Amino acid sequence: MTDQSLPLSDSQTVDQAVLLQSIGYSCLQTYLAIVPELKKQLATLGLRPVEYTILSVVKRNSGITQKRLGETIKVSPPNLATVLDRMEQDGLLARQRNPLDKRSQVLVLHSRGTLLCDQAEAVVAEAEALPQLSEAERHTLLGLLQKIFLPTQP
Amino acid sequence: MTDQSLPLSDSQTVDQAVLLQSIGYSCLQTYLAIVPELKKQLATLGLRPVEYTILSVVKRNSGITQKRLGETIKVSPPNLATVLDRMEQDGLLARQRNPLDKRSQVLVLHSRGTLLCDQAEAVVAEAEALPQLSEAERHTLLGLLQKIFLPTQP
DNA sequence: TATTGTTATACTCTATAACTATA
DNA sequence: TATAGTTATAGAGTATAACAATA
């Protein structure tokens, strides 16, 4: 039943042929290569990656609803509620009832949130400086990724 | 303390300026855009993404040790052990003591594992056909990602 | 009746520490 | 003493269902 075979020698490089044709796999591996340093740097500011993401979006889109925020960063409503509870308690932002539609809540940063976001953005930019890529390559890469995940507006 | 502001109108697109300069963020978002369909397709074969990844690597690298497998696909030893238990019970592969170093175990697929891997690779290739990218763009993208996460061999 | 958001909860993934066996 | 792998367990992240308030 079991195929017999010799152990793969240490000198042979691992063949990932088919997997390396997968954009999903390659994106995940790239993410995993980058994220530990990112987490470490954000942790020095008391932030997790999601929290940084939320700060960055709300800073530029003050008054955004939770619904739109969640759709943009792909966090489900129940999970977003939990993170926002934590951030609100930490005094980073506030939820305000939308006067135009009292079902929804709009988000605004406190000054502490804005300040922390600025620091975080600087720290992240540094952690993301990848010597493997030229500026042109970096630009190309970001453009191609966004072609996949950003909704095309008609 | 809290900045006052009008709700963000629905017609305005969400400004993600700084985040979109982040390769980590863009990789994660791309991964999240691709993975649900991938999971769905693999589930029809009774496989999760990790299991598919393991099958694909072991198929091409019969006799690979758990250590090298784990390093390649970035799964820690304890977590790898758990997944391999499941896959061994499902009759997909076997662990064999390495005759050259009895501390380590080498992995080989059963014929059922090989068969399932072939089916899975076909299914994944289909789920990953992204109409947003040309073949050339796809090739460029994969090359740039691999420049980041693949170890450069001297 | 549909939508926004919350609560509670379960499930999966990932991370850490302590252990066995081999070297 | 160091390494490969395992076990147990804790923690973070993600998913689902039921609910309240508003439209």
Side-chain angles (χ1 to χ4, degrees), chain A residues 1-152:
Chain A
M1 210 58 194
T2 299
D3 298 311
Q4 276 296 87
S5 78
L6 293 171
L8 186 75
S9 94
D10 284 353
S11 57
Q12 290 175 261
T13 57
V14 180
D15 177 0
Q16 305 181 63
V18 168
L19 286 179
L20 294 180
Q21 295 309 306
S22 159
I23 292 175
Y25 179 76
S26 295
C27 281
L28 177 58
Q29 290 298 319
T30 304
Y31 175 75
L32 291 176
I34 294 175
V35 85
E37 178 64 17
L38 209 94
K39 272 188 178 166
K40 196 179 136 199
Q41 294 305 317
L42 286 174
T44 66
L45 299 172
L47 289 175
R48 308 179 195 190
V50 223
E51 295 167 341
Y52 160 66
T53 304
I54 292 172
L55 287 180
S56 183
V57 170
V58 177
K59 186 174 100 176
R60 285 177 185 72
N61 303 272
S62 199
I64 193 175
T65 62
Q66 292 188 198
K67 181 172 166 47
R68 288 196 84 192
L69 171 62
E71 285 168 354
T72 303
I73 67 175
K74 289 185 188 125
V75 176
S76 69
N79 298 330
L80 185 57
T82 313
V83 182
L84 290 176
D85 283 348
R86 197 166 57 220
M87 296 177 76
E88 207 170 15
Q89 281 186 326
D90 289 350
L92 300 181
L93 51 76
R95 288 187 254 215
Q96 300 173 349
R97 277 289 153 202
N98 184 349
L100 304 175
D101 179 346
K102 287 180 201 145
R103 287 173 304 184
S104 68
Q105 308 221 95
V106 300
L107 302 168
V108 286
L109 294 194
H110 286 144
S111 50
R112 181 164 136 56
T114 308
L115 196 71
L116 204 58
C117 184
D118 293 340
Q119 294 177 269
E121 285 177 349
V123 144
V124 166
E126 187 142 357
E128 285 232 353
L130 302 171
Q132 297 101 314
L133 298 190
S134 70
E135 266 312 302
E137 287 174 320
R138 186 188 179 86
H139 185 262
T140 303
L141 174 55
L142 290 171
L144 291 172
L145 290 171
Q146 286 159 28
K147 258 186 139 169
I148 299 174
F149 79 84
L150 276 192
T152 50

Side-chain angles (χ1 to χ4, degrees), chain A residues 2 18 60 110 137 147, chain B residues 2 12 18 60 110 137 147:
Chain A
T2 299
V18 168
R60 285 177 185 72
H110 286 144
E137 287 174 320
K147 258 186 139 169
Chain B
T2 299
Q12 289 174 262
V18 168
R60 285 177 186 70
H110 286 144
E137 287 175 321
K147 256 184 140 171

Side-chain angles (χ1 to χ4, degrees), chain B residues 65-104:
Chain B
T65 63
Q66 294 189 197
K67 180 170 166 49
R68 289 195 84 192
L69 172 62
E71 285 168 355
T72 303
I73 66 175
K74 287 184 189 128
V75 175
S76 70
N79 298 332
L80 186 56
T82 312
V83 182
L84 290 176
D85 284 347
R86 197 167 56 220
M87 295 176 75
E88 207 170 14
Q89 281 185 327
D90 289 350
L92 299 181
L93 51 77
R95 287 187 255 217
Q96 301 173 347
R97 277 290 152 203
N98 184 350
L100 304 176
D101 181 346
K102 286 182 202 143
R103 287 173 303 183
S104 68

